[in-house]
Amino acid sequence: MSGPKDEALKRRAEKVIPNGMYGHQTVRNLPEGYPQFFVRAEGARLWDADGREFVDFMCAYGPNLFGYRNETIDAAYVAQLSEIDAATGPSPLIVDLAEAFVQQIGHADWAMFCKNGTDATSMALMTARAHAGKRKIVFAKGAYHGSAPWGTPAPAGTVEDDRAHFMYCAYNDARSLEAACAEAGDDLAGVFAAPFKHDVLVAQEAPDPAYARRARELCDAKDALLVVDDIRAGFRMSRDCSWAELGVAPDLSCWGKAIANGHPISALVGSDRARTAAGEIFATGSFWFQAAPMAASLATLKLIKETDYLERAIALGERLRAGLAEAASRRGVRLEQTGPPQTPLIMVCDEKGDLDPKAGYAFGTELAARGVYFHPWHNMFISAAMTEADIDHAVSAADDAMAAIRETAAAG
Amino acid sequence: MSGPKDEALKRRAEKVIPNGMYGHQTVRNLPEGYPQFFVRAEGARLWDADGREFVDFMCAYGPNLFGYRNETIDAAYVAQLSEIDAATGPSPLIVDLAEAFVQQIGHADWAMFCKNGTDATSMALMTARAHAGKRKIVFAKGAYHGSAPWGTPAPAGTVEDDRAHFMYCAYNDARSLEAACAEAGDDLAGVFAAPFKHDVLVAQEAPDPAYARRARELCDAKDALLVVDDIRAGFRMSRDCSWAELGVAPDLSCWGKAIANGHPISALVGSDRARTAAGEIFATGSFWFQAAPMAASLATLKLIKETDYLERAIALGERLRAGLAEAASRRGVRLEQTGPPQTPLIMVCDEKGDLDPKAGYAFGTELAARGVYFHPWHNMFISAAMTEADIDHAVSAADDAMAAIRETAAAG
């Protein structure tokens, strides 16, 4: 049970919002005891409507990179609001920001800005198809690339035609990628790839460099465009496109979530090879040319370049991973910890090593009761605003939570 | 030619943005002399990068309802930023705002919030299809309902399948609507309608109440959902859904642009009939649950309820229409002024009454040189921040502009 104010808000919400809440932030698919509504955020912390404080490991599902209400970034936003924001044309900041992205992202020669991550992936899809007038797109099965009718993981309200000309391979399986591209024949427009395997509910996997290189070769051989969807992981793996770490340059990469530390902006960036096609598609939105989120993104890029935020997030993630592993071993709980330490997925397994969703949910409930907001089946995020004390608090809470779930299991 | 700073920015932009700019705010399809970049906005005015001042009749293509940088609305945004904005869950404001929309919009029993107008129309499309598991959607030919692959007016990068199961009728033609619905047979999922005909490049038309009523009857008879796309015109025709003025209640209406006076938020609202379907679709976005735009939207709704903004905009639009008509008659220029006075479309015709795009562009250039930002082929918007003096300034500039284009025509 969450607090009384949260429960009262949920009851009001049920009347005026379908199911009381929608999208990725609904707590209907989360363990008992997770609050739905928050009233305050600061750094790595959230306060719910009942005043309960949480160390937040979800970072708004990605946007929070430098801490909630980062002073420098928010000041840039507010200062820009007092000049011009959404207007009849963009401000010069769109040029500054496009130049900053081109400077920051190795493969980028140009940038276009939008609002949702899905806007950027939809534009990538259209650009790939416009590039040589071909239709087939290869995705890794199970990967999420946006909530538009063509991308949504749930079929309700979509038609089969929305996914016409889509082919699927297995992530990190170069043979399966080759087979999908072969099936596309002369009609291959593009290959989409997540920077690493970060699907929900299954172990995360680092990208196999051979897979990434093969994707590049196949796109080159077939005059198709290679797209890296860096919306969730961008600037969390690298200060460049995540696949730059593998030495593989895509034609297009998609950015969103953290690029303005929570202010609303996303981006499609591309190489000169994709420029003509990107200039042919029609894509636009009422708020895409807002100046204030661009000011915030410029401030965020400056912090990305000038601070050790990435090394700190990795070190904190490693501290969390080691601490949890030690506690789990001591408590006799099997934790599956996968993915980069700064975007960890942590799930509870049974004695045979199979996922134990019930135990995972119980673990989440116990952690939430101790002021730690973990996610039982979606990768989490470490922000640069976290401290070693926050990590140690989470490890200690997890230690107690594991003791509690072991006790319940023994009693049951 | 726009000013030297604008030209220098355009040259920088050409290197790092495909075609130097994209979407509805590119000036490539506008008359010579229109600046691409603006550095300051206030009330009804914009200043370009060269310091030139304009009375702006485009209102950011719709978002500006109460004037740029409205103090009350922006203060609500900034105050909310200092509590919580994008986070791991929504703030209670999402409940307050859904309640406010339900209270404000006659047909609404619930609301869902998103970012782009296209998000709301895509969700309406999915909800209509989820409602009874049917597929066909009827649109009026030439209407714009968003820039997603299914909606974009330009085919580049889309495939035919994106528009599978779409049927088309002529706006305001009940017989043609009946024929399209009949063609859909048992597979009719929904009918989309603009609140009035506001397509680009052609005369605007008020909705025929018989057409609107027939759309309602056909949807009822076929268990399909009626969708009014009020993104561009919402709260500019009425303080309710635009079709409330006709006595026709849709199942779904789509809102965006002006609902937070330029801050980024859009909405799908619906009746109880559509609630189950709306609760079945998966639609979400990284920034959809931001609290600050919701605070701004609450402040905007308050002004909508408590001020005479709508009556003022209509009166100012009528003053503009009358003033232009008088000047055009005196100058011997044929102006086609269509649509509601508060969202006027103003195009120049030749002596036979056919559109004269060249004269329309020349008129735009002359107006821009006199500090008035008109659009030659897209409807414009009157904001509540405009004054009678602004209108009179525009009429006087138009009078001079018409004299100039008549002189050029006579000389040519």
Side-chain angles (χ1 to χ4, degrees):
Chain A
M1 196 70 164
S2 55
K5 288 188 180 165
D6 196 71
E7 291 301 320
L9 283 163
K10 279 182 189 159
R11 283 192 298 273
R12 281 171 56 202
E14 269 159 26
K15 293 185 188 151
V16 291
I17 298 172
N19 301 316
M21 195 40 205
Y22 55 98
H24 64 292
Q25 296 203 342
T26 177
V27 294
R28 277 187 301 145
N29 304 320
L30 286 180
E32 207 181 311
Y34 277 53
Q36 180 65 80
F37 301 98
F38 295 96
V39 296
R40 196 168 152 238
E42 189 172 358
R45 281 163 201 269
L46 289 175
W47 287 262
D48 74 9
D50 293 281
R52 296 193 304 168
E53 181 179 338
F54 297 87
V55 180
D56 171 37
F57 283 86
M58 284 312 289
C59 291
Y61 287 76
N64 174 9
L65 187 63
F66 286 101
Y68 289 119
R69 295 174 45 218
N70 176 281
E71 270 184 39
T72 310
I73 297 164
D74 284 11
Y77 193 99
V78 173
Q80 185 58 43
L81 269 191
S82 74
E83 299 289 332
I84 190 167
D85 184 32
T88 290
S91 90
L93 291 185
I94 195 174
V95 185
D96 296 340
L97 189 61
E99 287 173 347
F101 265 87
V102 165
Q103 202 236 333
Q104 191 68 33
I105 312 298
H107 79 90
D109 295 310
W110 53 264
M112 296 166 82
F113 301 101
C114 29
K115 278 296 114 170
N116 303 312
T118 302
D119 299 335
T121 55
S122 292
M123 287 160 72
L125 176 76
M126 293 170 77
T127 300
R129 283 174 163 167
H131 173 66
K134 296 185 291 179
R135 296 177 301 177
K136 309 285 186 206
I137 308 282
V138 175
F139 299 96
K141 205 166 173 57
Y144 177 73
H145 294 292
S147 89
W150 66 263
T152 169
T158 70
V159 291
E160 271 185 37
D161 311 77
D162 291 333
R163 291 168 292 281
H165 314 294
F166 286 5
M167 347 275 301
Y168 299 92
C169 69
Y171 195 86
N172 271 344
D173 180 342
R175 298 290 285 277
S176 135
L177 176 64
E178 283 164 10
C181 291
E183 201 190 329
D186 293 337
D187 204 17
L188 184 71
V191 173
F192 269 62
F196 60 96
K197 184 173 173 168
H198 54 43
D199 308 344
V200 294
L201 285 162
V202 295
Q204 299 193 81
E205 280 180 35
D208 178 348
Y211 175 75
R213 283 193 297 267
R214 195 75 190 107
R216 181 68 274 172
E217 290 162 3
L218 287 162
C219 286
D220 287 340
K222 287 177 167 267
D223 195 19
L225 298 189
L226 177 61
V227 182
V228 169
D229 176 356
D230 235 341
I231 292 183
R232 199 186 301 176
F235 296 136
R236 289 189 182 272
M237 304 298 117
S238 168
R239 290 178 176 83
D240 194 341
C241 178
S242 295
W243 274 19
E245 305 291 309
L246 310 177
V248 174
D251 302 297
L252 297 168
S253 57
C254 304
W255 299 77
K257 292 214 183 262
I259 65 173
N261 202 51
H263 296 291
I265 183 167
S266 59
L268 176 69
V269 310
S271 64
D272 275 330
R273 181 164 181 248
R275 187 193 289 256
T276 303
E280 282 166 2
I281 66 166
F282 180 83
T284 198
S286 303
F287 309 115
W288 289 16
F289 310 109
Q290 275 189 281
M294 294 183 189
S297 187
L298 283 162
T300 304
L301 286 175
K302 193 162 187 290
L303 290 175
I304 285 169
K305 272 206 290 212
E306 294 177 0
T307 70
D308 64 348
Y309 82 98
L310 182 56
E311 294 69 27
R312 276 179 43 74
I314 294 170
L316 290 166
E318 284 169 347
R319 187 182 184 95
L320 176 69
R321 182 162 291 178
L324 290 177
E326 191 278 325
S329 157
R330 191 156 31 75
R331 294 292 182 186
V333 170
R334 200 152 165 175
L335 284 189
E336 186 185 71
Q337 302 196 70
T338 60
Q342 67 273 38
T343 57
L345 176 64
I346 299 169
M347 297 194 290
V348 182
C349 294
D350 63 19
E351 281 158 17
K352 290 178 295 182
D354 294 328
L355 281 188
D356 185 343
K358 207 177 145 195
Y361 270 48
F363 183 50
T365 297
E366 295 291 343
L367 276 169
R370 289 166 178 82
V372 174
Y373 196 110
F374 263 33
H375 200 293
W377 49 263
H378 187 294
N379 76 270
M380 306 193 289
F381 303 87
I382 308 288
S383 88
M386 280 186 179
T387 62
E388 298 193 345
D390 290 328
I391 298 296
D392 295 346
H393 169 62
V395 169
S396 163
D399 189 39
D400 292 346
M402 287 188 272
I405 64 170
R406 289 292 288 174
E407 220 166 274
T408 311
Chain B
M1 196 70 165
S2 57
K5 287 188 181 163
D6 197 71
E7 291 300 321
L9 282 164
K10 279 182 188 158
R11 284 193 297 273
R12 281 171 54 201
E14 271 159 24
K15 293 186 188 151
V16 291
I17 298 173
N19 301 316
M21 196 40 205
Y22 56 98
H24 64 292
Q25 295 203 342
T26 176
V27 293
R28 276 186 301 144
N29 304 322
L30 286 181
E32 207 181 309
Y34 276 54
Q36 179 66 77
F37 300 98
F38 295 97
V39 297
R40 196 168 151 238
E42 190 173 355
R45 282 161 200 271
L46 289 174
W47 287 261
D48 74 9
D50 293 281
R52 295 194 304 167
E53 182 179 336
F54 297 87
V55 180
D56 171 38
F57 283 86
M58 284 312 290
C59 290
Y61 286 76
N64 173 10
L65 187 62
F66 286 100
Y68 290 120
R69 294 173 45 219
N70 177 280
E71 270 183 38
T72 310
I73 298 164
D74 284 11
Y77 193 101
V78 172
Q80 185 56 44
L81 269 191
S82 74
E83 299 290 332
I84 189 168
D85 184 32
T88 290
S91 90
L93 291 186
I94 194 172
V95 186
D96 297 338
L97 189 60
E99 288 174 346
F101 266 87
V102 166
Q103 201 236 335
Q104 191 69 34
I105 312 298
H107 79 89
D109 295 310
W110 54 263
M112 297 167 81
F113 301 101
C114 29
K115 278 297 115 171
N116 304 312
T118 303
D119 299 335
T121 56
S122 293
M123 287 160 72
L125 177 77
M126 293 169 77
T127 300
R129 283 174 163 166
H131 173 65
K134 297 185 289 177
R135 297 177 300 176
K136 309 284 187 206
I137 308 281
V138 175
F139 298 96
K141 206 167 171 56
Y144 177 73
H145 294 292
S147 89
W150 67 263
T152 169
T158 70
V159 292
E160 272 184 40
D161 312 75
D162 292 332
R163 291 168 293 280
H165 314 295
F166 286 5
M167 347 275 300
Y168 300 93
C169 69
Y171 194 86
N172 270 345
D173 180 342
R175 299 289 284 277
S176 136
L177 176 64
E178 283 164 11
C181 291
E183 201 190 329
D186 293 336
D187 203 16
L188 184 71
V191 173
F192 269 62
F196 61 95
K197 184 173 174 171
H198 55 41
D199 308 345
V200 295
L201 284 164
V202 294
Q204 299 192 81
E205 280 180 35
D208 177 348
Y211 174 75
R213 284 194 296 268
R214 194 74 190 108
R216 180 67 273 171
E217 289 162 4
L218 288 162
C219 286
D220 287 341
K222 285 175 167 269
D223 196 20
L225 298 189
L226 178 60
V227 183
V228 168
D229 176 356
D230 235 343
I231 293 185
R232 201 188 298 177
F235 296 135
R236 290 188 181 271
M237 304 299 117
S238 169
R239 290 178 176 84
D240 194 341
C241 177
S242 295
W243 274 18
E245 305 291 310
L246 310 177
V248 174
D251 302 297
L252 298 169
S253 58
C254 305
W255 298 79
K257 293 212 182 263
I259 66 173
N261 203 50
H263 296 291
I265 184 165
S266 59
L268 176 69
V269 311
S271 64
D272 274 331
R273 182 163 180 247
R275 188 193 288 258
T276 304
E280 282 167 3
I281 66 166
F282 180 84
T284 198
S286 304
F287 309 115
W288 288 15
F289 310 109
Q290 276 189 281
M294 294 183 187
S297 187
L298 282 163
T300 304
L301 287 175
K302 193 163 186 292
L303 291 175
I304 285 169
K305 271 205 290 213
E306 296 178 0
T307 70
D308 64 347
Y309 82 99
L310 182 56
E311 294 70 27
R312 277 179 43 73
I314 294 170
L316 290 167
E318 283 169 349
R319 186 182 184 94
L320 176 70
R321 183 162 290 179
L324 290 177
E326 190 278 325
S329 158
R330 192 159 28 76
R331 294 294 184 187
V333 171
R334 199 152 167 175
L335 283 189
E336 186 184 73
Q337 302 196 68
T338 62
Q342 67 274 36
T343 57
L345 176 64
I346 299 168
M347 300 195 288
V348 182
C349 294
D350 61 20
E351 282 157 18
K352 290 177 294 180
D354 295 328
L355 281 188
D356 185 344
K358 206 177 145 194
Y361 271 48
F363 183 51
T365 298
E366 295 291 342
L367 276 169
R370 289 167 177 81
V372 175
Y373 196 110
F374 261 33
H375 200 294
W377 48 263
H378 187 294
N379 77 269
M380 307 194 289
F381 304 86
I382 308 288
S383 88
M386 281 186 181
T387 61
E388 298 193 344
D390 291 328
I391 298 296
D392 295 346
H393 169 62
V395 169
S396 164
D399 188 39
D400 293 346
M402 287 189 269
I405 64 172
R406 289 292 289 174
E407 220 168 274
T408 311

